[in-house]
């Protein structure tokens, strides 16, 4: 008869599903973190543009990039467009942060379940 070692744990189909789910959530969390960084950079660029706009208050019209085209618009229109864009970016960032928290909670629940079954035989911590 062979003795069963600590490393010979049985991984059921349900356990494998939980491990896979944890891995998918972990990958999605990494994507969300990158998207949040992108939104922060975009928000910083908008704030820089707003500062530049304040320096141009003595002009009647300024060039404003819309897609691949530059259009001349009034300072007030530019300020309104910047404010709307900043609000949209902030809303998108908030939605991403909400998703991030939800995923972290699901991952935490899965960690508890998997560590309870596998103990030190599984590593779910980021490197």
């Amino acid at each position: 008869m062979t003795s069963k070692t600590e490393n010979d744990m049985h991984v059921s189909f349900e356990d494998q599903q939980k491990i896979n789910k944890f891995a998918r959530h972990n990958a999605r969390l990494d994507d969300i973190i990158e998207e949040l960084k992108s939104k922060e950079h975009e928000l910083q660029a908008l704030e820089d543009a707003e500062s530049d706009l304040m320096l141009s208050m003595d002009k009647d019209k300024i060039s404003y990039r819309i897609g691949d085209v530059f259009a001349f618009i009034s300072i007030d229109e530019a300020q309104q467009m910047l404010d709307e864009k900043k609000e949209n970016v902030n809303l998108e960032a908030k939605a991403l942060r909400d998703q991030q928290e939800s995923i972290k909670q699901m991952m935490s629940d899965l960690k508890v379940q998997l560590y309870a079954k596998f103990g030190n035989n599984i590593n779910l911590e980021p490197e």
Side-chain angles (χ1 to χ4, degrees):
M1 286 181 70
T2 61
S3 64
K4 204 170 197 182
T5 65
E6 197 174 303
N7 293 332
D8 291 341
M9 298 201 88
H10 173 72
V11 179
S12 69
F13 178 75
E14 292 81 21
D15 295 332
Q16 188 61 53
Q17 294 298 94
K18 288 178 185 178
I19 293 167
N20 293 345
K21 186 175 182 179
F22 183 88
R24 282 191 308 274
H25 285 315
N26 194 37
R28 179 63 183 137
L29 186 61
D30 289 343
D31 292 343
I32 287 173
I33 289 169
E34 287 302 313
E35 288 179 56
L36 275 171
K37 285 180 186 176
S38 174
K39 295 297 177 193
E40 289 171 3
H41 290 300
E42 187 176 353
L43 192 57
Q44 183 61 46
L46 290 170
E47 288 172 0
D48 291 345
E50 194 171 41
S51 296
D52 289 346
L53 185 64
M54 293 299 150
L55 296 174
S56 303
M57 287 301 226
D58 57 339
K59 298 179 182 177
D60 290 337
K61 294 192 181 252
I62 61 162
S63 62
Y64 190 91
R65 182 176 169 198
I66 303 171
D68 291 335
V69 178
F70 285 91
F72 285 98
I73 60 174
S74 72
I75 300 289
D76 292 336
E77 288 174 313
Q79 184 64 50
Q80 182 181 7
M81 292 172 84
L82 280 173
D83 289 342
E84 288 173 6
K85 184 68 176 167
K86 279 175 52 177
E87 184 178 336
N88 288 340
V89 171
N90 280 323
L91 289 173
E92 291 169 359
K94 183 187 179 317
L96 287 170
R97 283 190 291 276
D98 291 346
Q99 285 181 6
Q100 182 182 28
E101 287 305 312
S102 174
I103 289 173
K104 281 182 178 180
Q105 182 59 45
M106 284 188 267
M107 288 175 66
S108 177
D109 293 344
L110 287 169
K111 270 186 185 181
V112 168
Q113 295 171 18
L114 292 169
Y115 277 131
K117 176 150 186 185
F118 297 106
N120 291 336
N121 292 325
I122 190 167
N123 182 14
L124 301 173
E125 300 304 318
E127 296 180 40

